[in-house]
């Protein structure tokens, strides 16, 4: 079974967390009863997500066992990212986990230095901002 860790940071876009949960949680693979195990891992037990708070079952420590790590978009791409989240993402990449983002989650990966010398495709409205802020991407 493939474990997917969805990282929910303060300011995460709940819709994008939901998309990731649905895509991986409902995936069907012939002959495989449960192809993906999905863990929503937060920087806190309750993550501030705009008009609502998300209560997440796992902390960032659970990312260590994930095969894929996904960062959903954040409402404010310029907001600081917690040091623990940066360290968690860097450790996942260093051990060979697949690391990806949705939309403005690319800013989080860029802040962690994981997009240096790579191409990135954030939301089209944020592309110029990412290019200006993260020259190595």
């Amino acid at each position: 079974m493939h474990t997917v860790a969805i990282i929910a940071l303060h300011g995460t876009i709940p819709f994008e967390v939901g998309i990731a949960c649905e895509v991986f949680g409902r995936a069907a693979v012939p002959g495989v009863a449960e192809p993906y195990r999905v863990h929503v891992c937060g920087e806190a037990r309750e993550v501030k997500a705009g008009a609502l708070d998300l209560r997440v079952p796992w902390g960032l420590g659970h990312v260590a066992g994930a095969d894929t790590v996904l960062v959903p978009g954040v409402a404010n791409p310029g907001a600081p990212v917690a040091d623990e989240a940066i360290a968690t993402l860097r450790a996942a990449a260093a051990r060979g986990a697949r690391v990806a983002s949705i939309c403005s989650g690319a800013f989080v990966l860029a802040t962690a230095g994981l997009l240096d010398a790579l191409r990135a495709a954030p939301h089209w409205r944020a592309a110029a901002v990412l290019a200006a802020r993260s020259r190595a991407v």
Side-chain angles (χ1 to χ4, degrees):
M1 179 179 308
H2 190 95
T3 301
V4 178
I6 301 165
I7 296 183
L9 303 172
H10 291 301
T12 195
I13 298 172
F15 177 69
E16 294 183 11
V17 173
I19 288 171
C21 289
E22 289 296 304
V23 166
F24 289 103
R26 295 185 184 271
V29 175
V32 180
E34 189 180 352
Y36 295 102
R37 176 183 304 125
V38 179
H39 291 164
V40 178
C41 305
E43 68 176 295
R45 295 299 283 181
E46 286 196 14
V47 176
K48 304 295 181 193
L52 54 91
D53 294 341
L54 299 176
R55 187 169 298 166
V56 297
W58 292 283
L60 292 177
H62 280 82
V63 174
D67 303 296
T68 297
V69 178
L70 186 62
V71 180
V74 291
N76 178 2
V81 181
D83 291 341
E84 183 183 6
I86 296 294
T88 297
L89 287 164
R90 288 177 177 162
R95 66 176 168 73
R98 180 182 300 134
V99 179
S101 64
I102 301 173
C103 200
S104 59
F107 285 81
V108 176
L109 297 184
T111 299
L114 299 182
L115 297 180
D116 290 357
L118 299 174
R119 292 176 174 232
H123 189 281
W124 64 270
R125 282 198 250 169
V129 176
L130 180 64
R133 186 177 299 157
S134 303
R135 298 266 181 210
V137 179

